Amino acid sequence: LFGRAHTEPALAARSMGVVKYLTDSFAEARIYLNDFVRVMELEKKVDSVDYVLAQLLLGQVHKSQSRTDEAFHAWTKARQILNQRSDVGNQVPGLKDLVERVIDTSQSKVAGAVEQKSFFSRFADIARFEEEGTADIPFSARIDEILRDYVFLDDY
């Protein structure tokens, strides 16, 4: 009746996106929230709490689907609106702090994410190194020392 680029269906899509998010149907939530965001951007009605919340939820959906770049992009849009329009942030106290915290937390996790090697992959790396190099003491004679070093490597 209204078409895909009208605000009435977009508001319904926002509501459905929130419901699907709350029921952990993240793939459907992403579709509905993207539709809402698309229409609001077309209509130039991005200076609202609804838009900021949709971007915040959309970022969470992207994060849950391991789409960190898209999540960060959505959160950045939300922060941008809150920085440009203080009246939007004043409508919901703490919203700006929440968006900042989500962005800071995601950035610190990405920066601090160091892939830990499993015990067996460490053991395989040592064995391969021992085979390639020549050692005075054979690998089999040092197995206890190597195991002790690699089991407690994370403690250093």
Side-chain angles (χ1 to χ4, degrees):
L1 180 66
F2 291 107
R4 285 181 42 101
H6 194 272
T7 55
E8 292 298 320
L11 292 173
R14 182 218 49 215
S15 299
M16 284 299 295
V18 170
V19 168
K20 293 298 181 178
Y21 177 82
L22 292 174
T23 59
D24 294 335
S25 301
F26 295 134
E28 292 179 79
R30 183 171 49 89
I31 293 168
Y32 287 120
L33 292 171
N34 272 332
D35 198 38
F36 171 74
V37 166
R38 178 187 58 80
V39 172
M40 291 298 116
E41 288 173 352
L42 282 174
E43 296 289 323
K44 309 270 191 254
K45 295 182 179 180
V46 296
D47 54 347
S48 70
V49 173
D50 289 335
Y51 179 81
V52 172
L53 289 175
Q55 288 289 14
L56 185 63
L57 289 179
L58 195 54
Q60 293 294 344
V61 168
H62 287 309
K63 180 183 170 194
S64 73
Q65 296 174 337
S66 299
R67 297 176 175 171
T68 54
D69 291 339
E70 289 95 341
F72 186 72
H73 183 69
W75 294 327
T76 304
K77 281 185 174 182
R79 177 171 53 184
Q80 188 176 28
I81 294 299
L82 291 170
N83 286 340
Q84 290 174 354
R85 300 288 309 262
S86 61
D87 59 322
V88 173
N90 292 338
Q91 291 177 10
V92 180
L95 182 60
K96 186 173 182 179
D97 293 335
L98 176 65
V99 171
E100 290 294 333
R101 195 169 350 141
V102 167
I103 291 173
D104 291 343
T105 303
S106 69
Q107 285 178 336
S108 66
K109 284 184 181 177
V110 169
V114 176
E115 185 177 329
Q116 295 231 347
K117 287 188 158 193
S118 70
F119 169 72
F120 292 109
S121 65
R122 292 176 188 162
F123 187 74
D125 289 344
I126 278 292
R128 188 170 33 255
F129 177 73
E130 287 289 335
E131 289 172 0
E132 292 173 2
T134 58
D136 295 336
I137 303 172
F139 177 74
S140 58
R142 296 184 326 142
I143 191 75
D144 288 338
E145 174 191 347
I146 291 170
L147 288 175
R148 197 171 27 256
D149 289 346
Y150 277 92
V151 167
F152 299 107
L153 183 66
D154 293 333
D155 293 340
Y156 293 120

